[in-house]
């Protein structure tokens, strides 16, 4: 007998982000790009969506939108410190410039916000992606 494991149910008083659609002009290209940088895999198509499971219960569902330009959005990923250098190396290997700041004025550099490290880079549709090893300290 096989038993399917399910993620624990969140407390009823808490809302957890489960998934969000990410518009892309080429869902395969964009999903594979992000999965490659983060060291993840692209899941099987689910209707019109191509999912990238982030491993924390959140899925980015890439959705192909070709009828109008893609509006740039910002996506920030909290990543393990020990995987950060590998992600920067993969960006360098595929020729994608990363920046220390969200406005992309400090190329080829990382920041040290909140005692961690972080960098910003564009995905194939110009979404401003961020990798960071420490969450923002919010007031």
């Amino acid at each position: 007998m096989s038993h399917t494991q399910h993620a624990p149910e969140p407390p009823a008083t808490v809302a957890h982000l489960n998934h969000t659609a990410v518009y892309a002009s080429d869902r395969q290209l964009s999903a594979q790009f992000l999965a490659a940088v983060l060291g993840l895999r692209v899941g099987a198509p689910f209707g019109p969506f191509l999912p990238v499971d982030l491993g924390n219960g959140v899925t980015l569902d890439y959705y192909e939108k070709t009828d109008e330009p893609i509006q740039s959005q910002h996506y920030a990923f909290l990543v393990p410190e020990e995987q950060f250098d590998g992600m920067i190396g993969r960006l360098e290997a595929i020729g994608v410039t990363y920046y220390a700041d969200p406005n992309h004025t400090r190329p080829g550099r990382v920041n040290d916000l909140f005692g961690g490290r972080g960098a910003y880079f564009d995905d194939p549709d110009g979404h401003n992606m961020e990798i960071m090893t420490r969450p923002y300290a919010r007031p």
Side-chain angles (χ1 to χ4, degrees):
M1 242 187 225
S2 73
H3 295 281
T4 305
Q5 289 225 262
H6 295 283
E9 290 293 318
T13 58
V14 177
H16 290 261
L17 180 64
N18 179 265
H19 64 275
T20 190
V22 179
Y23 290 149
S25 56
D26 180 334
R27 71 179 190 168
Q28 187 74 35
L29 175 69
S30 293
Q32 286 182 333
F33 170 83
L34 184 67
V37 171
L38 297 181
L40 302 171
R41 66 174 192 80
V42 176
F46 181 71
F49 303 108
L50 194 58
V52 175
D53 182 352
L54 300 177
N56 65 340
V58 178
T59 302
L60 297 183
D61 287 324
Y62 279 86
Y63 179 80
E64 206 154 291
K65 188 167 183 60
T66 57
D67 58 340
E68 61 186 61
I70 304 296
Q71 177 66 44
S72 177
Q73 300 292 319
H74 174 62
Y75 298 90
F77 304 94
L78 183 61
V79 302
E81 174 67 43
E82 61 273 10
Q83 293 182 26
F84 185 84
D85 289 333
M87 293 175 189
I88 293 293
R90 289 191 287 276
L91 287 167
E92 291 173 340
I94 59 176
V96 173
T97 303
Y98 57 91
Y99 303 84
D101 64 304
N103 295 322
H104 295 196
T105 63
R106 297 170 50 207
R109 303 189 46 200
V110 301
N111 64 54
D112 60 357
L113 295 175
F114 309 106
R117 295 188 294 159
Y120 298 82
F121 58 94
D122 280 343
D123 88 337
D125 284 299
H127 291 303
N128 192 12
M129 304 302 204
E130 178 182 6
I131 53 175
M132 58 186 184
T133 61
R134 294 278 171 86
Y136 288 2
R138 299 184 187 271

